[in-house]
Amino acid sequence: MTDDSQARIADLVSKNDVLLFMKGTPLFPQCGFSSRAVAILDHLGVEYGSVDVLQDQGVRQGIKEFSDWPTIPQLYVKGEFVGGSDIMMEMYEAGELAELMRDKGVPASV
């Protein structure tokens, strides 16, 4: 893991209010967990950026060290690591994810 990858990840996280590190893209998720994460964010109606970890091995490994979280997808809101798709689903179902977006000042795009 290079410092360069960590710096790139930190830069991406800081520049996006909501950022999803995922396998594939929002239009073409490459795994079920990434697909679920995209569906949750789409249901919330928030704008978000995404990073396809399959396109960059440095980011794919680096994000796991950056967050100290072993799996992908990973969601960041206003620079804060939220969790993977299971945590996103639990928070979404409990209304906590929408509340987090509101508390962090993330506007719904709808």
Side-chain angles (χ1 to χ4, degrees), residues 14-33:
S14 71
K15 286 183 176 167
N16 291 274
D17 283 352
V18 181
L19 185 62
L20 183 66
F21 288 85
M22 62 180 291
K23 293 179 180 175
T25 65
L27 288 177
F28 296 105
Q30 297 295 310
C31 78
F33 296 110

Side-chain angles (χ1 to χ4, degrees), residues 29-107:
Q30 297 295 310
C31 78
F33 296 110
S34 291
S35 181
R36 184 191 311 170
V38 165
I40 290 167
L41 291 173
D42 288 348
H43 276 278
L44 289 174
V46 296
E47 289 188 24
Y48 61 95
S50 67
V51 177
D52 181 358
V53 299
L54 300 177
Q55 299 298 318
D56 188 326
Q57 200 59 35
V59 169
R60 185 176 187 172
Q61 291 309 311
I63 191 59
K64 296 174 184 181
E65 292 175 23
F66 185 82
S67 62
D68 198 24
W69 189 260
T71 58
I72 293 170
Q74 293 186 13
L75 177 67
Y76 288 81
V77 177
K78 297 279 187 164
E80 179 184 319
F81 175 61
V82 175
S85 66
D86 290 348
I87 291 171
M88 287 175 67
M89 184 57 106
E90 288 171 19
M91 289 179 71
Y92 175 72
E93 289 174 345
E96 295 168 0
L97 197 53
E99 190 178 314
L100 173 72
M101 296 294 180
R102 278 192 306 272
D103 290 351
K104 295 280 189 177
V106 176

